Each structure stands twice: as C-alpha cells, then as structure tokens.
Amino acid sequence: MRHRGRQYREVPVELAVREGTHDGIAYRVVAWKPEGRPAFVYSVAMSDRFYEPLPATAEAATLDEALDAGVRYLISLLGEQAELVGSFAECHMSSDSKI
C-alpha cells in the first residue's frame, strides 16, 4: 500500500468489542491488537456519546487488558459527570434557598 510516496505494510489486526452497562448507562469499548504489537483501545462510546482518542488508556499486552482499560476510562468519565451534576444541583439549591 502506498500513501504520499511512502510504502506501508499491511498488518493483520485482531479486534475485540465489549458492551455492557454501568449504573444503567450502556457502553461499548473497541480494542485492536496489530500482529506483533501491543493491544490498545481504539474507541469507546457511552449511550449516544463517542470518545476518541483516549488519552487515559495505555497500550496493553492483551485485548482483554485493553478492554478493561477502556471500561475503567468510561467509569471514570461517569464519575466526573456525576460530580458535575451533584455540584450543579448543590449550587442551584443553595442559591434558591437564599432567595
């Protein structure tokens, strides 16, 4: 395969997908493992949101480890969102009570 004057070697890639739910929110994690290279999280999606690239996930030895890392990343995003919603509600409740 040629691209802009460079020749690239096509490498077989294994693919794994993990779908599930966490606190009632559906998620999907896709991991790739090119032959002879470490596995990595290719993409993650939560409900109708798609996240890519994933700075919080590192290379992994296996597809399962990469999928686990992707799920941990999504759970951390859910935790951050819950904290934001909680602080938003606290802010509005405290301002309403002062009126």
Side-chain angles (χ1 to χ4, degrees):
M1 172 185 289
R2 283 197 165 277
H3 181 70
R4 294 186 188 182
R6 293 185 178 159
Q7 188 172 11
Y8 293 94
R9 183 174 61 97
E10 291 186 23
V11 176
V13 175
E14 290 181 66
L15 167 75
V17 177
R18 183 174 295 166
E19 295 177 324
T21 60
H22 181 76
D23 289 340
I25 298 174
Y27 66 81
R28 178 183 173 134
V29 178
V30 178
W32 285 11
K33 185 175 185 324
E35 186 177 273
R37 310 274 323 252
F40 63 95
V41 177
Y42 177 74
S43 66
V44 295
M46 180 171 46
S47 295
D48 60 346
R49 297 183 191 145
F50 182 75
Y51 299 92
E52 182 186 28
L54 305 175
T57 59
E59 295 178 340
T62 67
L63 285 169
D64 280 336
E65 289 176 9
L67 291 171
D68 290 343
V71 171
R72 283 192 305 274
Y73 176 72
L74 283 176
I75 291 171
S76 72
L77 287 177
L78 287 171
E80 289 172 12
Q81 288 178 356
E83 288 175 17
L84 287 174
V85 169
S87 61
F88 178 77
E90 286 176 23
C91 176
H92 279 5
M93 289 181 74
S94 63
S95 64
D96 288 345
S97 62
K98 293 178 183 176
I99 295 177

Coordinates of all heavy atoms in Angstrom, one line a residue:
M1 N 0.8 -1.2 0.0 CA 0.0 0.0 0.0 C 0.9 1.2 0.0 O 1.8 1.3 0.7 CB -0.9 0.0 1.2 CG -1.7 1.3 1.4 SD -2.6 1.3 3.0 CE -3.9 0.2 2.6
R2 N 0.6 2.2 -0.8 CA 1.3 3.4 -0.9 C 0.4 4.6 -0.5 O -0.7 4.7 -0.8 CB 1.8 3.7 -2.3 CG 3.0 2.9 -2.7 CD 3.7 3.5 -3.9 NE 5.0 3.0 -4.1 CZ 6.1 3.4 -3.5 NH1 6.0 4.3 -2.6 NH2 7.2 2.8 -3.8
H3 N 1.1 5.5 0.3 CA 0.4 6.7 0.7 C 1.4 7.9 0.7 O 2.4 7.8 1.4 CB -0.2 6.5 2.1 CG -1.0 7.7 2.6 ND1 -2.2 8.1 2.1 CD2 -0.7 8.6 3.6 CE1 -2.6 9.1 2.7 NE2 -1.7 9.5 3.6
R4 N 1.1 8.8 -0.2 CA 2.0 10.0 -0.3 C 3.5 9.7 -0.4 O 4.3 10.2 0.3 CB 1.8 11.0 0.9 CG 0.4 11.6 0.9 CD 0.3 12.6 2.0 NE -1.0 13.0 2.2 CZ -1.5 13.9 3.0 NH1 -0.6 14.4 3.8 NH2 -2.7 14.2 3.1
G5 N 3.8 8.7 -1.3 CA 5.2 8.4 -1.5 C 5.8 7.4 -0.6 O 6.9 7.0 -0.7
R6 N 5.1 7.0 0.5 CA 5.6 6.1 1.4 C 4.9 4.7 1.3 O 3.8 4.7 0.9 CB 5.4 6.5 2.9 CG 6.1 7.8 3.2 CD 5.9 8.1 4.7 NE 6.7 9.2 5.1 CZ 6.5 10.0 6.1 NH1 5.5 9.7 6.9 NH2 7.3 11.0 6.4
Q7 N 5.6 3.7 1.5 CA 5.1 2.4 1.4 C 4.8 1.9 2.8 O 5.6 1.9 3.7 CB 6.0 1.4 0.7 CG 5.4 0.1 0.4 CD 6.3 -0.7 -0.5 OE1 7.5 -0.4 -0.7 NE2 5.8 -1.8 -1.0
Y8 N 3.6 1.4 3.0 CA 3.2 0.9 4.3 C 2.9 -0.6 4.2 O 2.2 -1.0 3.2 CB 1.9 1.6 4.9 CG 2.2 3.0 5.2 CD1 2.0 4.1 4.3 CD2 2.7 3.3 6.5 CE1 2.2 5.4 4.7 CE2 3.0 4.7 6.8 CZ 2.7 5.7 5.9 OH 3.0 6.9 6.3
R9 N 3.3 -1.3 5.2 CA 3.0 -2.8 5.2 C 1.7 -3.0 5.9 O 1.4 -2.5 7.0 CB 4.1 -3.5 5.9 CG 4.0 -5.0 6.0 CD 5.3 -5.6 6.6 NE 5.5 -5.2 8.0 CZ 5.1 -5.9 9.0 NH1 4.5 -7.0 8.9 NH2 5.3 -5.4 10.2
E10 N 0.8 -3.8 5.3 CA -0.5 -4.1 5.9 C -0.2 -5.2 7.0 O 0.5 -6.1 6.7 CB -1.5 -4.6 4.9 CG -1.9 -3.5 4.0 CD -3.0 -4.0 3.0 OE1 -3.7 -4.9 3.4 OE2 -3.2 -3.4 2.0
V11 N -0.8 -4.9 8.2 CA -0.6 -5.8 9.3 C -1.9 -6.4 9.7 O -2.8 -5.6 9.9 CB 0.1 -5.1 10.5 CG1 0.3 -6.0 11.7 CG2 1.5 -4.5 10.0
P12 N -2.0 -7.7 9.9 CA -3.3 -8.2 10.4 C -3.6 -7.6 11.8 O -2.7 -7.5 12.6 CB -3.1 -9.7 10.5 CG -1.9 -10.0 9.6 CD -1.1 -8.7 9.6
V13 N -4.9 -7.4 12.1 CA -5.3 -6.8 13.3 C -6.4 -7.6 13.9 O -7.4 -7.9 13.3 CB -5.8 -5.3 13.1 CG1 -6.3 -4.7 14.4 CG2 -4.7 -4.4 12.6
E14 N -6.2 -8.0 15.2 CA -7.3 -8.6 16.0 C -8.2 -7.5 16.5 O -7.7 -6.4 16.9 CB -6.7 -9.4 17.1 CG -6.0 -10.7 16.7 CD -5.5 -11.5 17.9 OE1 -6.4 -12.0 18.7 OE2 -4.3 -11.5 18.1
L15 N -9.4 -7.8 16.6 CA -10.4 -6.8 17.1 C -11.2 -7.5 18.2 O -11.6 -8.6 18.1 CB -11.3 -6.4 15.9 CG -12.5 -5.6 16.3 CD1 -12.2 -4.2 16.6 CD2 -13.5 -5.6 15.1
A16 N -11.5 -6.7 19.3 CA -12.4 -7.2 20.3 C -13.3 -6.1 20.7 O -13.0 -4.9 20.7 CB -11.6 -7.7 21.5
V17 N -14.6 -6.4 21.1 CA -15.6 -5.5 21.5 C -16.2 -5.9 22.8 O -16.5 -7.1 23.0 CB -16.7 -5.3 20.4 CG1 -17.8 -4.4 20.9 CG2 -16.1 -4.9 19.1
R18 N -16.3 -5.0 23.7 CA -17.0 -5.3 25.0 C -18.2 -4.3 25.1 O -18.0 -3.1 25.1 CB -16.1 -5.2 26.2 CG -16.8 -5.5 27.5 CD -15.8 -5.6 28.6 NE -14.8 -6.6 28.4 CZ -13.7 -6.7 29.1 NH1 -13.4 -5.8 30.0 NH2 -12.8 -7.7 28.9
E19 N -19.4 -4.8 25.3 CA -20.6 -4.0 25.5 C -21.2 -4.3 26.9 O -21.1 -5.5 27.3 CB -21.6 -4.2 24.4 CG -21.1 -3.8 23.0 CD -22.1 -4.0 21.9 OE1 -22.7 -5.1 22.0 OE2 -22.2 -3.2 21.0
G20 N -21.7 -3.3 27.5 CA -22.3 -3.6 28.8 C -23.0 -2.3 29.3 O -23.3 -1.4 28.5
T21 N -23.4 -2.3 30.6 CA -24.0 -1.2 31.2 C -23.3 -0.9 32.5 O -22.8 -1.8 33.2 CB -25.5 -1.3 31.4 OG1 -25.7 -2.5 32.3 CG2 -26.3 -1.5 30.1
H22 N -23.3 0.3 32.9 CA -22.8 0.7 34.3 C -23.7 1.8 34.8 O -24.0 2.8 34.1 CB -21.4 1.3 34.2 CG -20.8 1.7 35.5 ND1 -20.3 0.8 36.4 CD2 -20.6 2.9 36.0 CE1 -19.9 1.4 37.4 NE2 -20.1 2.7 37.3
D23 N -24.3 1.6 35.9 CA -25.3 2.5 36.5 C -26.4 2.8 35.5 O -26.9 3.9 35.4 CB -24.7 3.7 37.0 CG -23.9 3.5 38.3 OD1 -24.1 2.5 39.0 OD2 -23.0 4.4 38.6
G24 N -26.8 1.8 34.7 CA -27.9 2.0 33.8 C -27.5 2.7 32.5 O -28.4 2.9 31.6
I25 N -26.3 2.9 32.3 CA -25.8 3.6 31.0 C -25.1 2.6 30.2 O -24.1 2.0 30.6 CB -24.9 4.8 31.4 CG1 -25.7 5.8 32.2 CG2 -24.3 5.4 30.1 CD1 -24.9 7.0 32.7
A26 N -25.5 2.5 28.9 CA -24.9 1.5 28.0 C -23.5 2.0 27.5 O -23.4 3.2 27.4 CB -25.8 1.3 26.8
Y27 N -22.6 1.1 27.4 CA -21.3 1.5 26.8 C -20.8 0.4 25.9 O -21.3 -0.7 25.8 CB -20.3 1.7 28.0 CG -19.9 0.4 28.7 CD1 -19.0 -0.5 28.2 CD2 -20.5 0.1 29.9 CE1 -18.6 -1.7 28.9 CE2 -20.2 -1.0 30.6 CZ -19.2 -1.9 30.1 OH -18.9 -3.1 30.8
R28 N -19.8 0.8 25.0 CA -19.2 -0.1 24.1 C -17.7 0.3 24.0 O -17.4 1.5 23.8 CB -19.8 0.1 22.7 CG -19.2 -0.8 21.7 CD -19.8 -0.5 20.3 NE -19.1 -1.2 19.3 CZ -19.6 -2.0 18.4 NH1 -20.9 -2.1 18.3 NH2 -18.9 -2.6 17.5
V29 N -16.8 -0.7 24.1 CA -15.4 -0.4 24.0 C -14.9 -1.3 22.9 O -15.2 -2.5 22.8 CB -14.7 -0.8 25.4 CG1 -13.2 -0.6 25.2 CG2 -15.2 0.0 26.5
V30 N -14.0 -0.7 22.0 CA -13.4 -1.5 20.9 C -11.9 -1.4 21.1 O -11.3 -0.3 21.3 CB -13.8 -0.8 19.6 CG1 -13.1 -1.6 18.4 CG2 -15.3 -0.8 19.4
A31 N -11.3 -2.6 21.1 CA -9.8 -2.7 21.2 C -9.2 -3.3 20.0 O -9.9 -4.2 19.4 CB -9.4 -3.4 22.5
W32 N -8.0 -2.9 19.6 CA -7.3 -3.5 18.5 C -6.0 -4.0 19.0 O -5.4 -3.5 19.9 CB -7.0 -2.5 17.4 CG -8.2 -2.0 16.5 CD1 -9.5 -2.3 16.7 CD2 -8.1 -1.2 15.4 NE1 -10.2 -1.7 15.7 CE2 -9.4 -1.1 14.9 CE3 -7.1 -0.6 14.7 CZ2 -9.7 -0.3 13.8 CZ3 -7.3 0.1 13.6 CH2 -8.7 0.3 13.1
K33 N -5.5 -5.1 18.3 CA -4.2 -5.6 18.5 C -3.5 -6.0 17.2 O -3.8 -7.0 16.7 CB -4.2 -6.8 19.5 CG -2.8 -7.3 19.8 CD -2.7 -8.4 20.8 CE -1.3 -8.7 21.2 NZ -0.3 -8.6 20.2
P34 N -2.7 -5.1 16.7 CA -2.0 -5.4 15.4 C -1.0 -6.5 15.7 O -0.4 -6.6 16.8 CB -1.2 -4.1 15.1 CG -1.9 -3.0 15.9 CD -2.4 -3.7 17.1
E35 N -0.8 -7.4 14.7 CA 0.1 -8.5 14.9 C 1.5 -8.1 15.3 O 2.1 -7.2 14.7 CB 0.2 -9.3 13.6 CG 0.9 -10.6 13.7 CD 0.9 -11.3 12.3 OE1 0.0 -12.1 12.1 OE2 1.8 -11.1 11.5
G36 N 2.0 -8.6 16.4 CA 3.4 -8.3 16.8 C 3.5 -7.0 17.6 O 4.6 -6.5 17.9
R37 N 2.4 -6.3 17.9 CA 2.4 -5.1 18.6 C 1.4 -5.2 19.8 O 0.6 -6.1 19.9 CB 1.8 -3.9 17.7 CG 2.5 -3.8 16.3 CD 3.7 -3.0 16.2 NE 3.8 -1.9 17.0 CZ 3.7 -0.6 16.6 NH1 3.5 -0.3 15.3 NH2 3.9 0.4 17.5
P38 N 1.5 -4.2 20.7 CA 0.7 -4.2 21.9 C -0.8 -3.9 21.5 O -1.1 -3.3 20.5 CB 1.2 -3.1 22.8 CG 2.5 -2.7 22.2 CD 2.6 -3.1 20.8
A39 N -1.7 -4.3 22.3 CA -3.1 -4.0 22.1 C -3.4 -2.6 22.6 O -2.6 -2.1 23.4 CB -4.0 -5.0 22.9
F40 N -4.4 -2.0 22.1 CA -4.8 -0.6 22.6 C -6.3 -0.4 22.4 O -6.9 -1.1 21.6 CB -4.0 0.5 21.8 CG -4.3 0.5 20.3 CD1 -5.2 1.4 19.8 CD2 -3.6 -0.3 19.5 CE1 -5.5 1.4 18.4 CE2 -3.8 -0.3 18.1 CZ -4.7 0.6 17.6
V41 N -6.9 0.5 23.1 CA -8.3 0.9 23.0 C -8.4 1.8 21.7 O -7.8 2.8 21.6 CB -8.8 1.6 24.2 CG1 -10.2 2.0 24.0 CG2 -8.6 0.8 25.5
Y42 N -9.2 1.3 20.8 CA -9.4 2.1 19.6 C -10.5 3.2 19.8 O -10.3 4.3 19.4 CB -9.9 1.1 18.5 CG -10.2 1.8 17.2 CD1 -9.2 2.4 16.4 CD2 -11.5 2.0 16.8 CE1 -9.4 3.0 15.2 CE2 -11.8 2.7 15.6 CZ -10.7 3.2 14.8 OH -11.0 3.9 13.7
S43 N -11.6 2.8 20.5 CA -12.7 3.8 20.7 C -13.5 3.3 21.9 O -13.6 2.1 22.2 CB -13.5 4.0 19.5 OG -14.2 2.8 19.2
V44 N -14.2 4.3 22.4 CA -15.2 4.0 23.5 C -16.5 4.8 23.2 O -16.4 5.9 22.6 CB -14.8 4.2 24.9 CG1 -13.6 3.3 25.3 CG2 -14.3 5.7 25.1
A45 N -17.6 4.3 23.5 CA -18.9 5.0 23.4 C -19.7 4.8 24.6 O -19.7 3.7 25.2 CB -19.6 4.5 22.1
M46 N -20.4 5.8 25.0 CA -21.3 5.7 26.2 C -22.7 6.3 25.8 O -22.7 7.5 25.4 CB -20.7 6.5 27.3 CG -21.4 6.4 28.6 SD -20.5 7.1 30.0 CE -19.8 8.6 29.3
S47 N -23.7 5.5 25.8 CA -25.0 5.9 25.3 C -24.9 6.4 23.9 O -24.5 5.7 23.1 CB -25.7 6.9 26.3 OG -25.9 6.3 27.5
D48 N -25.2 7.7 23.7 CA -25.1 8.3 22.4 C -23.8 9.1 22.2 O -23.6 9.8 21.2 CB -26.3 9.1 22.1 CG -26.5 10.3 23.0 OD1 -25.8 10.3 24.1 OD2 -27.3 11.2 22.8
R49 N -22.9 9.0 23.1 CA -21.6 9.8 23.0 C -20.5 8.9 22.6 O -20.4 7.8 23.0 CB -21.3 10.4 24.4 CG -22.3 11.4 24.8 CD -21.9 12.1 26.1 NE -23.1 12.8 26.6 CZ -23.3 12.9 27.9 NH1 -22.5 12.4 28.7 NH2 -24.4 13.6 28.3
F50 N -19.6 9.5 21.8 CA -18.5 8.7 21.3 C -17.2 9.5 21.7 O -17.1 10.7 21.5 CB -18.5 8.7 19.7 CG -17.4 7.9 19.1 CD1 -17.4 6.6 19.1 CD2 -16.4 8.6 18.4 CE1 -16.4 5.9 18.5 CE2 -15.4 7.9 17.8 CZ -15.4 6.6 17.8
Y51 N -16.2 8.8 22.3 CA -15.0 9.4 22.7 C -13.8 8.8 22.0 O -13.6 7.6 22.0 CB -14.8 9.1 24.2 CG -15.9 9.7 25.1 CD1 -17.0 9.0 25.4 CD2 -15.8 11.0 25.5 CE1 -18.0 9.5 26.2 CE2 -16.8 11.6 26.3 CZ -17.9 10.8 26.6 OH -18.9 11.4 27.3
E52 N -13.0 9.6 21.4 CA -11.8 9.2 20.7 C -11.0 10.4 20.4 O -11.5 11.4 20.0 CB -12.2 8.5 19.4 CG -11.0 8.0 18.6 CD -11.4 7.4 17.3 OE1 -12.3 7.9 16.7 OE2 -10.7 6.6 16.8
P53 N -9.7 10.4 20.6 CA -8.8 9.4 21.1 C -8.9 9.3 22.6 O -9.5 10.2 23.3 CB -7.4 9.8 20.7 CG -7.5 11.3 20.6 CD -8.9 11.6 20.2
L54 N -8.3 8.3 23.2 CA -8.3 8.1 24.6 C -7.0 8.3 25.3 O -6.2 7.5 25.4 CB -8.8 6.6 24.9 CG -10.1 6.2 24.2 CD1 -10.3 4.8 24.4 CD2 -11.2 7.0 24.7
P55 N -6.8 9.5 25.8 CA -5.5 9.8 26.4 C -5.3 9.0 27.7 O -4.1 8.8 28.1 CB -5.6 11.3 26.7 CG -7.1 11.6 26.9 CD -7.7 10.6 25.9
A56 N -6.3 8.5 28.4 CA -6.2 7.9 29.7 C -5.9 6.4 29.6 O -5.7 5.7 30.6 CB -7.4 8.1 30.5
T57 N -5.8 5.9 28.4 CA -5.6 4.4 28.2 C -4.2 4.2 27.6 O -3.9 4.9 26.6 CB -6.7 3.8 27.4 OG1 -6.7 4.4 26.1 CG2 -8.1 3.9 28.0
A58 N -3.5 3.2 28.1 CA -2.2 2.9 27.6 C -2.2 1.6 26.8 O -3.3 1.0 26.7 CB -1.2 2.8 28.8
E59 N -1.1 1.3 26.2 CA -1.0 0.0 25.5 C -1.1 -1.1 26.5 O -0.8 -1.0 27.6 CB 0.3 0.0 24.7 CG 0.4 1.0 23.6 CD 1.7 1.0 22.9 OE1 2.7 0.5 23.5 OE2 1.8 1.5 21.8
A60 N -1.6 -2.2 26.0 CA -1.8 -3.4 26.9 C -1.2 -4.6 26.2 O -1.1 -4.7 25.0 CB -3.3 -3.6 27.2
A61 N -0.9 -5.6 27.0 CA -0.4 -6.9 26.4 C -1.4 -7.7 25.7 O -1.1 -8.3 24.7 CB 0.2 -7.7 27.5
T62 N -2.7 -7.6 26.2 CA -3.7 -8.4 25.5 C -5.0 -7.6 25.2 O -5.1 -6.4 25.8 CB -4.2 -9.6 26.5 OG1 -4.8 -9.0 27.6 CG2 -3.0 -10.4 26.9
L63 N -5.8 -8.1 24.4 CA -7.1 -7.4 24.1 C -7.9 -7.2 25.3 O -8.5 -6.2 25.5 CB -7.9 -8.1 23.0 CG -7.3 -8.0 21.6 CD1 -8.0 -9.0 20.6 CD2 -7.5 -6.6 21.1
D64 N -8.0 -8.3 26.2 CA -8.8 -8.2 27.4 C -8.3 -7.0 28.3 O -9.1 -6.3 28.9 CB -8.8 -9.5 28.2 CG -9.8 -10.5 27.6 OD1 -10.7 -10.1 27.0 OD2 -9.5 -11.7 27.9
E65 N -7.0 -6.9 28.5 CA -6.4 -5.8 29.3 C -6.8 -4.4 28.7 O -7.1 -3.5 29.4 CB -4.9 -5.9 29.4 CG -4.5 -7.1 30.3 CD -3.0 -7.2 30.3 OE1 -2.2 -6.4 29.7 OE2 -2.5 -8.3 30.8
A66 N -6.7 -4.3 27.4 CA -7.1 -3.1 26.7 C -8.6 -2.8 26.9 O -9.0 -1.6 27.2 CB -6.8 -3.1 25.2
L67 N -9.5 -3.8 26.8 CA -10.9 -3.6 27.0 C -11.1 -3.2 28.5 O -11.9 -2.3 28.7 CB -11.7 -4.9 26.7 CG -11.7 -5.3 25.2 CD1 -12.3 -6.7 25.1 CD2 -12.5 -4.2 24.4
D68 N -10.4 -3.8 29.4 CA -10.6 -3.4 30.8 C -10.2 -1.9 31.0 O -10.9 -1.2 31.8 CB -9.7 -4.3 31.7 CG -10.2 -5.7 31.8 OD1 -11.4 -6.0 31.5 OD2 -9.4 -6.6 32.3
A69 N -9.1 -1.5 30.4 CA -8.7 -0.1 30.5 C -9.8 0.8 29.9 O -10.0 1.9 30.5 CB -7.4 0.1 29.8
G70 N -10.4 0.4 28.8 CA -11.4 1.3 28.2 C -12.6 1.4 29.1 O -13.2 2.5 29.3
V71 N -13.0 0.3 29.8 CA -14.1 0.3 30.7 C -13.8 1.2 31.9 O -14.6 2.0 32.3 CB -14.5 -1.1 31.1 CG1 -15.6 -1.1 32.2 CG2 -15.1 -1.9 29.9
R72 N -12.6 1.1 32.4 CA -12.2 1.9 33.6 C -12.3 3.4 33.2 O -12.7 4.2 34.0 CB -10.8 1.6 34.0 CG -10.7 0.3 34.9 CD -9.4 0.1 35.6 NE -8.2 0.2 34.7 CZ -7.8 -0.9 34.0 NH1 -8.3 -2.1 34.2 NH2 -6.7 -0.8 33.2
Y73 N -11.8 3.7 32.0 CA -11.9 5.1 31.5 C -13.3 5.6 31.4 O -13.6 6.7 31.9 CB -11.2 5.1 30.1 CG -11.3 6.5 29.4 CD1 -10.5 7.5 29.9 CD2 -12.1 6.7 28.3 CE1 -10.6 8.8 29.3 CE2 -12.2 7.9 27.7 CZ -11.4 9.0 28.2 OH -11.5 10.2 27.6
L74 N -14.2 4.8 30.9 CA -15.6 5.2 30.8 C -16.2 5.4 32.2 O -17.0 6.4 32.5 CB -16.5 4.2 30.1 CG -16.3 4.2 28.6 CD1 -17.1 3.1 27.9 CD2 -16.8 5.5 28.0
I75 N -15.9 4.5 33.1 CA -16.4 4.6 34.5 C -15.9 5.9 35.2 O -16.6 6.6 35.9 CB -16.1 3.3 35.3 CG1 -16.9 2.2 34.8 CG2 -16.4 3.6 36.8 CD1 -16.5 0.8 35.4
S76 N -14.6 6.2 34.9 CA -14.1 7.5 35.4 C -14.8 8.7 34.8 O -15.1 9.7 35.5 CB -12.6 7.6 35.2 OG -12.3 7.9 33.8
L77 N -15.2 8.6 33.5 CA -16.0 9.7 32.9 C -17.3 9.8 33.6 O -17.8 10.9 33.9 CB -16.2 9.5 31.4 CG -15.0 9.7 30.5 CD1 -15.3 9.3 29.1 CD2 -14.5 11.1 30.6
L78 N -18.0 8.7 33.9 CA -19.3 8.7 34.5 C -19.2 9.3 35.9 O -20.0 10.1 36.4 CB -19.8 7.3 34.6 CG -20.4 6.7 33.3 CD1 -20.7 5.2 33.5 CD2 -21.6 7.5 32.8
G79 N -18.1 9.0 36.6 CA -17.9 9.6 38.0 C -17.7 11.1 37.9 O -18.3 11.8 38.7
E80 N -17.0 11.6 36.9 CA -16.8 13.0 36.7 C -18.1 13.7 36.4 O -18.4 14.8 36.9 CB -15.8 13.3 35.6 CG -14.3 12.9 36.0 CD -13.4 13.0 34.8 OE1 -13.8 13.6 33.7 OE2 -12.3 12.6 34.9
Q81 N -18.9 13.1 35.6 CA -20.2 13.6 35.2 C -21.1 13.7 36.4 O -21.8 14.7 36.7 CB -20.9 12.9 34.1 CG -20.2 13.1 32.8 CD -20.8 12.2 31.7 OE1 -21.7 11.5 31.9 NE2 -20.3 12.4 30.5
A82 N -21.1 12.6 37.3 CA -21.9 12.6 38.5 C -21.5 13.7 39.4 O -22.4 14.4 40.0 CB -21.8 11.3 39.1
E83 N -20.2 13.9 39.5 CA -19.7 15.0 40.4 C -20.2 16.4 39.9 O -20.6 17.3 40.7 CB -18.2 15.0 40.5 CG -17.7 13.8 41.3 CD -16.1 13.7 41.3 OE1 -15.5 14.7 40.9 OE2 -15.6 12.7 41.7
L84 N -20.1 16.6 38.6 CA -20.5 17.9 38.0 C -22.0 18.1 38.2 O -22.4 19.2 38.6 CB -20.2 17.9 36.5 CG -18.8 18.0 36.1 CD1 -18.6 17.9 34.6 CD2 -18.2 19.4 36.6
V85 N -22.8 17.0 38.0 CA -24.3 17.2 38.2 C -24.6 17.4 39.7 O -25.4 18.3 40.0 CB -25.0 15.9 37.7 CG1 -26.5 15.9 38.2 CG2 -24.9 15.8 36.2
G86 N -23.9 16.8 40.6 CA -24.1 17.0 42.0 C -23.7 18.4 42.4 O -24.4 19.1 43.2
S87 N -22.6 18.9 42.0 CA -22.1 20.2 42.3 C -23.1 21.3 41.7 O -23.3 22.3 42.3 CB -20.7 20.5 41.9 OG -20.5 20.4 40.6
F88 N -23.6 21.0 40.5 CA -24.5 21.9 39.8 C -25.8 22.0 40.6 O -26.3 23.1 40.9 CB -24.8 21.4 38.4 CG -25.8 22.2 37.7 CD1 -25.5 23.4 37.1 CD2 -27.1 21.8 37.5 CE1 -26.4 24.2 36.4 CE2 -28.0 22.5 36.8 CZ -27.7 23.8 36.3
A89 N -26.3 20.8 41.1 CA -27.5 20.8 41.9 C -27.3 21.5 43.2 O -28.2 22.3 43.7 CB -28.0 19.3 42.1
E90 N -26.2 21.3 43.9 CA -25.9 21.9 45.1 C -25.8 23.4 45.0 O -26.4 24.2 45.8 CB -24.6 21.4 45.7 CG -24.6 20.1 46.3 CD -23.2 19.6 46.8 OE1 -22.4 20.5 47.0 OE2 -23.0 18.4 46.9
C91 N -25.2 23.9 43.9 CA -25.1 25.3 43.6 C -26.5 25.9 43.5 O -26.8 27.0 44.0 CB -24.3 25.5 42.4 SG -24.2 27.3 41.9
H92 N -27.4 25.3 42.7 CA -28.7 25.8 42.5 C -29.6 25.7 43.7 O -30.4 26.6 44.0 CB -29.4 25.1 41.3 CG -28.9 25.6 40.0 ND1 -28.0 26.6 39.8 CD2 -29.4 25.3 38.7 CE1 -27.8 26.9 38.5 NE2 -28.6 26.1 37.9
M93 N -29.4 24.7 44.5 CA -30.2 24.5 45.7 C -29.8 25.6 46.7 O -30.6 26.2 47.4 CB -30.1 23.1 46.3 CG -30.8 22.1 45.5 SD -30.6 20.5 46.2 CE -31.7 20.6 47.6
S94 N -28.5 25.9 46.8 CA -28.1 26.9 47.8 C -28.5 28.3 47.4 O -28.8 29.1 48.2 CB -26.6 26.8 48.0 OG -25.9 27.0 46.8
S95 N -28.4 28.5 46.1 CA -28.8 29.9 45.6 C -30.3 30.0 45.7 O -30.8 31.1 46.0 CB -28.4 30.1 44.2 OG -29.0 29.2 43.3
D96 N -31.1 29.0 45.5 CA -32.6 29.1 45.6 C -33.0 29.3 47.1 O -33.9 30.0 47.4 CB -33.3 27.8 45.1 CG -33.2 27.7 43.6 OD1 -32.9 28.7 43.0 OD2 -33.5 26.6 43.1
S97 N -32.3 28.7 48.0 CA -32.6 28.8 49.4 C -32.3 30.2 49.9 O -32.9 30.6 51.0 CB -31.9 27.8 50.3 OG -30.5 28.0 50.2
K98 N -31.5 31.0 49.3 CA -31.1 32.3 49.7 C -32.1 33.4 49.2 O -32.1 34.5 49.6 CB -29.7 32.7 49.3 CG -28.6 31.9 49.9 CD -27.3 32.3 49.4 CE -26.2 31.4 50.0 NZ -24.9 31.6 49.5
I99 N -33.0 33.0 48.3 CA -33.9 34.0 47.7 C -35.1 34.2 48.7 O -35.6 33.4 49.4 CB -34.5 33.5 46.4 CG1 -33.3 33.4 45.4 CG2 -35.6 34.3 45.9 CD1 -33.7 32.9 44.1

